[in-house]
Amino acid sequence: MKKRTKTILGVVVVIVIAAIAIPMYISRQHTTFRAEVTDHMSMLDTLDILVIRKITTTDPYDEEEVIIKGPQEIRNMLKLAKDIELRRLKHTDISERFEGNPYYYDWQLRTKKEDRFTEGFGITFYNQHAVSIYSGYKTRDKLENYEITNDFNLNEMEQLFTNLKEEKE
């Protein structure tokens, strides 16, 4: 009787641990752009500068650049990506990132943390399905690669970039 009780108790413990660990692991793999970038900004932080580069995939030195310094304009650009749902990738094949796109966008965002120091984010939109995020606030795993799991229209970013570039000229 004791051996049977211990076996049943052991199976129950394994099931309970699996029921807790598996959902926790899965939830860590799925995230949003908001959770990875904008949630790390407090009300006391100020948006310092956003540099957007449009880089061709064939020649990385051939790029167009727009610099945005107004906090409201930066917020408008961040709103474009706020609802993107992401899934972490462990291994990525770089050649797949550029499929179908002659260019990609690289964002460099700096925020001033309570007027004491600056913190940076690097966000690279390779195509409608792949993005990399560098987070300056993290102590490890600063660069993460993600797959975009919901609909994201890169054409909207193209139109905004073109409009901003025309305004700056």
Side-chain angles (χ1 to χ4, degrees):
M1 191 80 157
K2 285 187 175 183
K3 187 174 181 181
R4 184 175 178 198
T5 306
K6 287 181 182 179
T7 305
I8 292 172
L9 185 60
V11 169
V12 169
V13 167
V14 168
I15 290 172
V16 167
I17 290 173
I20 293 171
I22 291 171
M24 284 177 52
Y25 175 76
I26 291 171
S27 70
R28 286 199 64 228
Q29 301 308 311
H30 293 278
T31 186
T32 62
F33 182 85
R34 181 180 291 159
E36 293 299 317
V37 177
T38 57
D39 282 355
H40 297 285
M41 299 175 203
S42 72
M43 295 299 288
L44 300 175
D45 296 349
T46 55
L47 297 169
D48 192 26
I49 191 169
L50 175 63
V51 179
I52 302 174
R53 290 185 184 96
K54 180 180 175 182
I55 305 169
T56 61
T57 56
T58 55
D59 183 13
Y61 298 106
D62 182 21
E63 63 182 42
E64 299 175 37
E65 182 178 280
V66 173
I67 298 173
I68 304 171
K69 293 185 178 179
Q72 188 58 41
E73 289 178 307
I74 295 173
R75 277 189 201 88
N76 290 339
M77 289 303 291
L78 291 174
K79 283 180 187 177
L80 183 68
K82 72 179 170 92
D83 293 327
I84 295 176
E85 295 175 8
L86 306 169
R87 183 174 61 89
R88 280 189 181 85
L89 298 175
K90 293 194 185 238
H91 302 287
T92 58
D93 183 11
I94 292 177
S95 63
E96 291 178 4
R97 292 182 182 177
F98 300 118
E99 282 183 12
N101 279 354
Y103 53 85
Y104 62 95
Y105 289 96
D106 183 49
W107 292 13
Q108 299 297 320
L109 174 66
R110 283 195 322 230
T111 59
K112 252 189 189 159
K113 299 298 270 179
E114 301 170 11
D115 288 331
R116 291 185 283 162
F117 60 94
T118 58
E119 193 172 79
F121 294 93
I123 305 147
T124 305
F125 295 95
Y126 295 104
N127 58 34
Q128 295 179 357
H129 307 290
V131 65
S132 294
I133 299 175
Y134 171 85
S135 301
Y137 71 91
K138 290 184 178 180
T139 54
R140 62 173 258 224
D141 298 331
K142 290 186 175 215
L143 179 66
E144 294 275 347
N145 296 309
Y146 298 95
E147 175 186 5
I148 299 173
T149 58
N150 63 342
D151 292 334
F152 174 65
N153 191 353
L154 204 61
N155 293 331
E156 290 179 34
M157 191 178 301
E158 167 70 24
Q159 290 173 342
L160 268 171
F161 181 82
T162 304
N163 291 342
L164 287 169
K165 188 166 176 146
E166 289 172 358
E167 286 176 13
K168 300 292 180 188
E169 290 176 351

